[in-house]
Amino acid sequence: MRNVLDKWYFAIGPIIIALLLIAGFKQSDIDDVIDYSGYKDPEVVIVAEEEEVEQPASVIQSNDSAVAKEEGVKYKIIQVVDGDTIRIEVDGVVESVRIIGMDTPEVVDPRKPVQCFGVEASNQAKKLLSSQTITLEIEESQGTRDKYRRLLGYIIMPDGRDFGTVMISSGYAYEYTYNTPYKKQSIYKQAQAEAREAELGLWSPETCSGSRDF
């Protein structure tokens, strides 16, 4: 039954969004209503996903305080959603985390087809992070959450490496500044420049026939 619903949503979802746009809704208004982070393509997402339950504002605020104030705390990864989004458990609550400063081609956004090299980037993230215990590093300049109520932060892997730097430097992700500069921006941009010069991953002329849709 779940597979049928997934296929129905994938087929009908874009049509509903198109009708809302025709009716005069702005894309930003639609984005504020629809949480795309929970969508998944069953052929791409390998790790089983637990059903998300919307948490009361009091629980969210409590978790914000716990994450922001406790430095060096380890969190168990519950799921790697795609190349730049994971889910962790914080005080018994499963939270989505959007990684600051990096982006990967889309594989789970119902507004877009699966983008070239998105599956490879997602699988690389799963290889590096699945079932790992990581440190979440919050940055005040970016806020604690995005408009989808996902936590925002850097992921420090068990071996001490920064996940964003690893993904960008190997060509599986690219530097992405959402709104305001962030403290690792120069590091990520340098990592991207080096990966691009070496023609790694996304930057290889053989990847996507040299044509990138991001």
Side-chain angles (χ1 to χ4, degrees):
M1 182 65 179
R2 181 62 180 269
N3 288 338
V4 172
L5 291 175
D6 285 338
K7 292 178 180 178
W8 179 89
Y9 179 70
F10 182 77
I12 302 300
I15 296 176
I16 295 174
I17 293 172
L19 291 174
L20 289 173
L21 290 171
I22 293 172
F25 285 80
K26 296 180 180 179
Q27 182 65 59
S28 59
D29 296 330
I30 298 173
D31 286 345
D32 288 339
V33 174
I34 300 175
D35 180 0
Y36 299 105
S37 65
Y39 175 81
K40 69 180 189 307
D41 181 339
E43 295 181 356
V44 175
V45 178
I46 299 172
V47 182
E49 176 184 349
E50 296 182 5
E51 185 175 354
E52 276 194 281
V53 177
E54 186 173 347
Q55 300 297 329
S58 59
V59 173
I60 291 174
Q61 291 170 358
S62 175
N63 274 15
D64 287 352
S65 298
V67 171
K69 293 180 180 179
E70 297 182 28
E71 296 183 1
V73 176
K74 307 294 183 181
Y75 298 99
K76 179 74 173 180
I77 292 182
I78 304 301
Q79 182 194 10
V80 180
V81 178
D82 58 18
D84 51 46
T85 307
I86 65 171
R87 289 197 175 108
I88 61 175
E89 183 176 346
V90 181
D91 289 344
V93 177
V94 176
E95 294 271 14
S96 292
V97 179
R98 177 61 168 85
I99 300 163
I100 296 172
M102 60 165 282
D103 204 359
T104 57
E106 296 293 346
V107 293
V108 296
D109 189 337
R111 300 169 298 178
K112 302 176 183 178
V114 174
Q115 293 179 310
C116 183
F117 212 67
V119 173
E120 290 85 346
S122 181
N123 286 340
Q124 179 66 6
K126 292 179 174 70
K127 179 180 177 181
L128 292 171
L129 297 179
S130 290
S131 301
Q132 296 295 317
T133 298
I134 54 86
T135 303
L136 180 64
E137 184 179 328
I138 300 296
E139 181 178 347
E140 285 188 16
S141 70
Q142 304 302 303
T144 305
R145 293 181 185 271
D146 66 7
K147 62 183 179 181
Y148 303 123
R149 298 197 300 184
R150 297 176 297 187
L151 290 169
L152 294 171
Y154 304 105
I155 301 301
I156 308 302
M157 299 192 296
D159 61 6
R161 291 182 298 166
D162 176 77
F163 174 71
T165 303
V166 172
M167 288 288 283
I168 295 171
S169 64
S170 55
Y172 285 101
Y174 51 94
E175 189 278 331
Y176 178 69
T177 302
Y178 176 68
N179 191 15
T180 57
Y182 53 96
K183 68 180 181 180
K184 296 189 180 185
Q185 187 182 57
S186 60
I187 297 173
Y188 284 7
K189 286 188 172 183
Q190 179 62 32
Q192 176 172 297
E194 293 174 359
R196 192 165 192 165
E197 183 176 355
E199 297 184 339
L200 299 178
L202 287 164
W203 313 112
S204 169
E206 297 179 0
T207 299
C208 311
S209 300
S211 176
R212 288 167 285 276
D213 54 355
F214 57 83

